[in-house]
Amino acid sequence: MSENAQALVVYESMFGNTEQVAEAIGEGLRSKVEAEVVRVDRAPDVLPDGLDLLVVGGPTHAFSMSRPSTRDSASTQGTVVMPSRVGIREWLDRLRPDDGTAILATFDTRVTKVRKLPGSAAKAAAKVLRRRGVGVVAESVSFYVEDSAGPLSEGELDRARAWGASLVARVELRGTETTDPVVQPRRSR
């Protein structure tokens, strides 16, 4: 990655847990690159020129990215930290394809007691972005909360910071020959 490399972390959060994880990932990224952390309702519909890394995350609702109905249901469980009218699903639908320069990592938050259930907001978001021509640099990662409204499980913010820092190293490998199964080559358009 160049000296002036730029990363953008876009997140959706209902109760503030995913927001905390996004901020921790941003801290990890900032160890080596410029990184901005943005709520999904304030995220650009066109990726900025010169963007090197896009990190997208949100809570797993009903085995995937949230929907208006699942966000409405979640809002009855406690005070929400951002408007529920838009989530990463809607943002990804509006997002215009980029010029092929940004690469991607996705994360989600999920309740600890259902960690082995199938479905993931992070994997669903990665699938949508791959279809749009953005390559995946890292496997999707889940961070855990004790209950729907939180709190985060012990050690998750440290794990998020470390994951953010590790993304920089993986991005630096882009363009080099590697057999690391986590680093996947970008798809051409």
Side-chain angles (χ1 to χ4, degrees):
M1 237 183 198
S2 68
E3 278 183 36
N4 298 333
Q6 295 180 18
L8 176 64
V9 180
V10 176
Y11 71 90
E12 168 189 347
S13 187
M14 294 297 297
F15 305 112
N17 300 299
T18 310
E19 177 179 27
Q20 289 178 59
V21 170
E23 291 292 346
I25 291 167
E27 289 173 26
L29 290 168
R30 287 185 199 106
S31 66
K32 300 243 178 155
V33 301
E34 291 180 32
E36 183 178 4
V37 180
V38 180
R39 285 179 8 180
V40 70
D41 61 322
R42 297 177 179 161
D45 291 345
V46 177
L47 296 177
D49 289 339
L51 185 68
D52 296 291
L53 175 63
L54 173 64
V55 181
V56 178
T60 296
H61 285 198
F63 310 114
S64 190
M65 294 182 282
S66 71
R67 291 178 162 68
S69 62
T70 63
R71 289 192 296 272
D72 287 344
S73 176
S75 69
T76 66
Q77 299 175 33
T79 305
V80 296
V81 298
M82 62 180 280
S84 62
R85 70 184 178 279
V86 65
I88 58 174
R89 179 184 298 269
E90 292 81 13
W91 179 70
L92 291 173
D93 285 346
R94 305 194 304 259
L95 185 65
R96 294 196 188 132
D98 76 330
D99 64 2
T101 59
I103 53 178
L104 167 78
T106 59
F107 71 96
D108 63 24
T109 52
R110 59 177 51 218
V111 177
T112 299
K113 63 185 170 192
V114 295
R115 72 172 53 216
K116 298 204 187 241
L117 288 180
S120 160
K123 289 178 183 178
K127 185 177 180 179
V128 169
L129 285 159
R130 273 194 303 270
R131 283 193 309 242
R132 291 182 171 267
V134 181
V136 177
V137 70
E139 291 179 7
S140 300
V141 173
S142 292
F143 296 93
Y144 298 97
V145 295
E146 293 302 315
D147 199 1
S148 296
L152 284 161
S153 297
E154 188 174 326
E156 291 301 86
L157 292 179
D158 290 335
R159 199 165 69 89
R161 278 184 210 91
W163 186 67
S166 77
L167 291 175
V168 175
R170 290 179 177 150
V171 169
E172 288 172 342
L173 291 175
R174 186 175 76 168
T176 63
E177 295 277 331
T178 181
T179 58
D180 183 348
V182 174
V183 179
Q184 300 173 5
R186 295 178 48 117
R187 291 180 165 187
S188 60
R189 294 178 161 212

